[in-house]
Amino acid sequence: MTFNATLDSIKTYEAGRPIELVVREFGIAEDAVVKLASNENPLGASPKAIEAIIKNACNAHLYPDDSMYALKNALSKHFNIPVHSLIIGAGSDQIIEFCIHAKANTQSKVLMAGTTFAMYEIYAKMVGAEAVRTPSRTHNLQEFLEAYNTHKPDIIFLCIPNNPLGDCLDSKEVFDFLKQIDSNCLVVIDGAYQEFAKAKDSNKAICPKTLIETFSNVIYLGTFSKAYGLGGMRVGYGIANAEIIQALAKLRPPFNITTPSLAAAIAALEDKEHINASTQNNLEQMPLFERFAIEKGFKYTPSYTNFITYYFESPLDSTQIADCLLQKGMIIRNLASYGLNAIRITIGTEKQNTQFFTLFNTYLNKK
């Protein structure tokens, strides 16, 4: 059987290993497995969100409200933006796909950082567009501007903060950069980890309202999968001017968000106490990982997310490290698929982090 030729250039996205896999393959009890691979909230979902899921489970036989009226209104109030400036997706990555299909084609170029979220390139290649990367792995806006002037891309992706490295641009330099971009180029600001960035440094905070009121060609993406602890419910959102939202809406499949997911997102958005606890845990635990790296002589990127990336030099090998810890019930993210001898570790609870340090120390002492 033959398939679309564009598939030949697309690498399958490698998600973090699930807990169930470790239980099956290594016979480790489920409650003994620690997953620090997918940047999920270690505190779990808001109790209010869980309650909303249970309450709405009885409506599983009914199609959800396709207008998503309640969630859009909640987000409208949260960001002080018009309802017509919102689109809801099954995770923010679905809205990334909408953006690619709405703007790019076989003649297009899509600009992104040297190392960034893999789905930008994967979605670009799905429509036959060319992915253009800056020389630096982290975000360097001078390189972005040079690449923009050279390649004239139809779409620019800025991941702020950046996954999988953790670097983060200041909002002022982002706004200065956007002023130099033609209004016909769609700029996607991926703010999946913005809650953590602004909790650490207010200079990193990007205000979606100011963003879309200033620039007609920009869309801001957010998600409930990270700080809000709803990765399993798959809810993301895009904020942009009405023209962009109307174009993307033509690509949205009907009923793309489930009724329990919609209810959970609304409840999570309202639970300020849970969000504050989640970002505070991150701020308290992150320095432990930084000190560990310094003590062991590892390089790392100062992170404005809920994860940290360690870089290794031979003889240390990220694949061997990840596989060894996996067999001990500790799931971390190997970044070999990004061309890096590095691992990414989600910042967990104090107990989870202590277990990581213990297991990793044991591994290092045997080398």
Side-chain angles (χ1 to χ4, degrees):
M1 181 181 292
T2 58
F3 296 96
N4 192 317
T6 58
L7 295 180
D8 295 339
S9 65
I10 297 175
K11 293 182 179 179
T12 302
Y13 179 77
E14 294 184 18
R17 301 283 186 90
I19 291 174
E20 294 82 359
L21 180 145
V22 180
V23 172
R24 289 195 307 269
E25 290 195 4
F26 303 110
I28 301 173
E30 184 173 340
D31 59 1
V33 178
V34 176
K35 186 182 180 187
L36 300 179
S38 299
N39 310 331
E40 296 144 333
N41 189 330
L43 303 188
S46 157
K48 295 180 180 179
I50 295 172
E51 183 181 348
I53 293 168
I54 295 171
K55 182 179 178 180
N56 282 272
C58 61
N59 293 322
H61 63 297
L62 300 174
Y63 283 112
D65 173 12
D66 198 48
S67 73
M68 305 180 202
Y69 175 86
L71 178 56
K72 285 183 179 179
N73 271 272
L75 287 166
S76 172
K77 292 176 182 178
H78 182 77
F79 289 110
N80 190 25
I81 56 171
V83 171
H84 64 247
S85 292
L86 283 156
I87 186 168
I88 310 298
S92 56
D93 54 316
Q94 186 178 47
I95 304 173
I96 294 170
E97 184 178 15
F98 295 163
C99 290
I100 291 289
H101 282 276
K103 188 65 178 171
N105 54 51
T106 56
Q107 305 303 311
S108 299
K109 294 181 180 180
V110 179
L111 177 59
M112 64 199 72
T115 299
T116 193
F117 186 41
M119 292 309 300
Y120 304 153
E121 180 172 357
I122 290 174
Y123 284 134
K125 287 184 174 181
M126 284 182 182
V127 299
E130 177 185 351
V132 177
R133 293 181 178 270
T134 60
S136 297
R137 292 192 178 279
T138 56
H139 281 60
N140 180 317
L141 288 180
Q142 183 57 42
E143 292 180 358
F144 266 89
L145 190 58
E146 292 171 0
Y148 167 76
N149 289 325
T150 300
H151 298 282
K152 301 301 180 184
D154 285 321
I155 305 177
I156 298 174
F157 281 101
L158 296 177
C159 194
I160 309 173
N162 186 25
N163 176 31
L165 302 185
D167 55 296
C168 189
L169 298 165
D170 283 354
S171 59
K172 184 182 183 304
E173 58 183 333
V174 174
F175 276 68
D176 289 343
F177 169 77
L178 293 174
K179 293 173 184 176
Q180 303 175 74
I181 305 302
D182 184 84
S183 60
N184 194 44
C185 176
L186 177 63
V187 182
V188 181
I189 305 290
D190 189 342
Y193 298 90
Q194 265 288 306
E195 288 82 7
F196 300 105
K198 64 184 179 183
K200 184 174 184 178
D201 184 350
S202 60
N203 292 319
K204 308 297 183 182
I206 293 178
C207 174
K209 176 181 171 63
T210 305
L211 191 70
I212 67 171
E213 287 179 348
T214 308
F215 304 103
S216 62
N217 61 322
V218 177
I219 181 168
Y220 174 93
L221 306 185
T223 182
F224 286 92
S225 297
K226 306 303 178 184
Y228 289 98
L230 293 177
M233 302 308 290
R234 312 305 301 127
V235 188
Y237 54 89
I239 301 173
N241 69 64
E243 181 186 21
I244 294 175
I245 297 299
Q246 288 169 10
L248 301 186
K250 295 178 180 179
L251 298 164
R252 184 184 69 82
F255 311 115
N256 61 321
I257 311 295
T258 70
T259 298
S261 294
L262 291 169
I266 295 167
L269 191 66
E270 294 172 350
D271 194 345
K272 303 294 191 297
E273 184 177 340
H274 186 71
I275 280 291
N276 291 337
S278 299
T279 55
Q280 187 60 35
N281 175 78
N282 197 65
L283 289 172
E284 292 174 355
Q285 294 297 312
M286 180 70 78
L288 303 180
F289 284 86
E290 295 172 342
R291 287 199 292 270
F292 185 86
I294 293 169
E295 290 171 2
K296 301 300 179 183
F298 302 148
K299 292 181 180 179
Y300 69 93
T301 300
S303 177
Y304 293 86
T305 65
N306 66 337
F307 62 81
I308 191 168
T309 295
Y310 288 168
Y311 305 89
F312 306 116
E313 295 180 0
S314 182
L316 290 178
D317 179 82
S318 64
T319 300
Q320 291 180 5
I321 293 169
D323 287 348
C324 181
L325 267 59
L326 185 70
Q327 294 174 36
K328 301 296 182 181
M330 175 63 62
I331 311 174
I332 57 174
R333 185 63 183 269
N334 177 21
L335 296 183
S337 62
Y338 283 86
L340 298 172
N341 184 18
I343 59 173
R344 188 189 68 191
I345 313 106
T346 303
I347 308 303
T349 62
E350 181 178 5
K351 180 180 179 180
Q352 291 173 327
N353 299 336
T354 298
Q355 189 169 341
F356 167 77
F357 295 135
T358 299
L359 288 173
F360 197 14
N361 259 324
T362 299
Y363 174 87
L364 293 172
N365 290 336
K366 291 180 179 178
K367 300 304 284 184

